[in-house]
Amino acid sequence: MSTTLSASTLLAVPLAPLVGSALAGILGTKLGGNWFGRRLCHSIAILGVLVSFIISLMTLWAVAVHDARFNDSIYEWMVIGGLRMEIGFLIDGLTAMMMVVVTSVSLMVHIYTIGYMEEDAGYNRFFAYISLFTFSMLMLVMSNNLLQLFFAWEAVGLVSYLLIGFWYNKPTAIFANMKAFLVNRVGDFGFILGIGLIAAYTGSLNYSEIFERAPQLIANIEFPWYILGQDVMLATVIAICLFIGAMGKSAQFPLHVWLPDSMEGPTPISALIHAATMVTAGIFMVARMSPIYELSDAALNFILIIGAITALFMGFMGIIQNDIKRVVAYSTLSQLGYMTVALGASAYSVAVFHLMTHAFFKALLFLAAGSVIMGLHHNQDIRWMGGLRKYMPITWITFLIGTLALIGTPFLSGFYSKDSIIETVKFSNLPASDLAYFALLAGVFVTAFYSFRLYFLVFHGKERYDQNPDAHHDDHHHDDHGDGKPHESPWVITVPLVLLAVPSVIIGYMTIVPMVFGDFLADAITVNSQAHPAMAEFAAVFTSPLGLVAHAFFTPPLYLATAGTLLAWYMYMVNPALPAAMARKFRFIVVILENKYYMDWINENIIAKAAVGLGIGLWKGGDRGLIEGAVVNLSWKVVGWMAGVVRRAQTGYLYHYAFVMIVGVVAFMSYFVWLAK
């Protein structure tokens, strides 16, 4: 029998990190007089997230074991007609899982930050920001209505802007955070249009009421758009508008351009925001809105295509990157593409499953990359690393675990979620599924290649860490050891790595049955099995987690991943001259990749200039020409001309006025005589 959850206890989940953020941000900075020192600030911030994490675990236990649920308003902001604007929580399997992912990764990042940001002048400010981000993300995943979702959506974007530009004296960081802000505004424009259409045609912003009235979005014939000879359903327009918002937040092509540049921020936020939580907000939103997406095959095909492009072509970008954080960043883009493809195949539970497993091993990879950066005195160029395995054993083994999980090694968490996506897409009956299936298979090979290229260049081979005079630094720390050699990171860095490595190994095996094939997400996700049978067909052939491992030996992904790994080993360990030779031979491809498919050039020289040109045209033609020239200036000129004409009739001579009066009287008399006839 299901039980209910306490509203006050749930309210403590987002409020605890908010209180920690406020205390650290006000009393730990110049704003409040620097009353709190570093130790007190990080203790308060970590305590807030720890409280949130513990309550989230209790909530997950109550949901999974006791079938607990909660869906109610906490605070009513205002009512406009029949449209209620509220703050409320919806707690089901999807929300409970996201709460634990957000708080657990955030807790690891908070602890990690003590070591990584130890000497940074903005130490307290950083803790305030990451706690504020945790609050915003929790409000997003716990919301039971689109209004709260949108405000939290914008809040995580704001905090992301603050964190990417954390080192505000660094021009590249300021450029990166402005780029992230502007690109996300493009996505959010579509997102708010979708929300507005839902409010207009269902009369509600509450999830439950929207889903009850969702069939109206097919039957409604007041909103036909005739495009390329086809009527476009309202449901399709809404679904695509909402997905455009997800494309911005979850960095899908072509709105992906902000995420690689966001690596200009400190490494902890790369793990927290751009790997594990914020960039998955779009995936979460589409899964939550599955009752609407199930109404439109056109929207699902669109999602499949966008996800396939992102999964494959962002993987290619990882091959030519030399910054350790950017390799992992492009890996994140590619994996987000995998999740998006799963959404397009109506495998929402599989997409969310990969979201969860990916959060742990990708956060692990980012934090391990940060440990490498610290160990090499803040050098980020993998060409000047090598041989770090013997100097940084904990970082090495945890990085290897994260890499193996990423490429889908059997028994590790990434295998279960990634192979589930590929298998589900194979069963999809949508027209775009064949393209997506090919892209995912090719992406397996590419992912294994660039992941082990990174691994071999960093941890094996010749030691090159002392040969780079122009090492890129991501902050201004100095060498504590003073010997110039790499060194293992302190316990506040390595403990989070070990704790993240554990779920990277076991969480997939433990949760695939309840999350993908069980009832854990049953009331959170809707799938029309008759129209979209991919999940049903996958469930029919699935036997057990071990059975999926056995099945892997008869499918392409395992052999493609092995081939990519072996090719990376040969090119970077056995024959290291080969990559340079191939780069020279295929220089035209390398140039395209180095220029990021020219997306930045297109955005800056075509789209931005077109927008500026449109603005200038509206300013000169519309504002100055039409409004100022034709309306404002013309009106006073007409009035002036009429006043000049009337002025000529006012001569001041009495006989002129008498003559006009006589003429007027004669005119009136003539008119009445004419009427009398």
Side-chain angles (χ1 to χ4, degrees), residues 112 122 127 135 183 212 269 288 310 412 456 479 505 546 550 675:
Y112 180 95
F127 273 99
F135 158 76
V183 172
E212 286 177 7
I269 66 113
R288 175 62 78 192
T310 307
L412 272 68
F456 288 133
D479 176 15
V505 175
L546 292 179
L675 285 178

Side-chain angles (χ1 to χ4, degrees), residues 60-108:
L60 178 63
W61 178 263
V63 169
V65 177
H66 301 293
D67 199 26
R69 295 293 185 270
F70 185 91
N71 184 13
D72 201 2
S73 172
I74 303 296
Y75 167 72
E76 186 173 84
W77 180 30
M78 63 180 175
V79 178
I80 302 176
L83 189 66
R84 298 193 312 277
M85 299 189 177
E86 303 170 323
I87 301 297
F89 295 148
L90 168 61
I91 308 299
D92 53 18
L94 178 59
T95 301
M97 181 276 296
M98 289 296 296
M99 288 167 62
V100 172
V101 168
V102 171
T103 53
S104 59
V105 173
S106 178
L107 182 61
M108 294 301 100

Side-chain angles (χ1 to χ4, degrees), residues 528-550:
N528 182 351
S529 298
Q530 291 184 341
H532 308 126
M535 273 302 298
E537 293 186 19
F538 180 39
V541 299
F542 178 82
T543 55
S544 67
L546 292 179
L548 190 63
V549 173

Side-chain angles (χ1 to χ4, degrees), residues 498-559:
V498 174
L499 293 177
L500 286 169
V502 173
S504 297
V505 175
I506 65 174
I507 198 73
Y509 179 88
M510 293 174 59
T511 60
I512 182 172
V513 173
M515 282 195 67
V516 177
F517 304 104
D519 296 331
F520 183 72
L521 298 174
D523 58 342
I525 287 171
T526 298
V527 179
N528 182 351
S529 298
Q530 291 184 341
H532 308 126
M535 273 302 298
E537 293 186 19
F538 180 39
V541 299
F542 178 82
T543 55
S544 67
L546 292 179
L548 190 63
V549 173
H551 177 68
F553 288 92
F554 301 95
T555 56
L558 178 61
Y559 298 102

Side-chain angles (χ1 to χ4, degrees), residues 386-404:
L388 298 185
R389 180 167 59 109
K390 63 181 180 181
Y391 297 105
M392 308 179 72
I394 299 176
T395 302
W396 162 64
I397 193 65
T398 53
F399 193 96
L400 177 59
I401 289 171
T403 301
L404 290 171

Side-chain angles (χ1 to χ4, degrees), residues 467-591:
Q467 301 174 17
N468 181 18
D470 302 315
H472 175 68
H473 293 64
D474 78 341
D475 56 24
H476 309 289
H477 299 243
H478 66 270
D479 176 15
D480 292 333
H481 293 244
D483 56 6
K485 292 184 178 181
H487 54 83
E488 185 59 278
S489 300
W491 72 267
V492 289
I493 301 292
T494 55
V495 167
L497 296 183
V498 174
L499 293 177
L500 286 169
V502 173
S504 297
V505 175
I506 65 174
I507 198 73
Y509 179 88
M510 293 174 59
T511 60
I512 182 172
V513 173
M515 282 195 67
V516 177
F517 304 104
D519 296 331
F520 183 72
L521 298 174
D523 58 342
I525 287 171
T526 298
V527 179
N528 182 351
S529 298
Q530 291 184 341
H532 308 126
M535 273 302 298
E537 293 186 19
F538 180 39
V541 299
F542 178 82
T543 55
S544 67
L546 292 179
L548 190 63
V549 173
H551 177 68
F553 288 92
F554 301 95
T555 56
L558 178 61
Y559 298 102
L560 288 169
T562 304
T565 302
L566 292 175
L567 182 61
W569 170 77
Y570 177 77
M571 290 181 65
Y572 294 97
M573 298 297 296
V574 178
N575 189 3
L578 183 58
M582 292 187 66
R584 288 191 298 270
K585 185 173 183 179
F586 299 101
R587 182 61 188 163
F588 69 100
I589 297 177
V590 174
V591 170

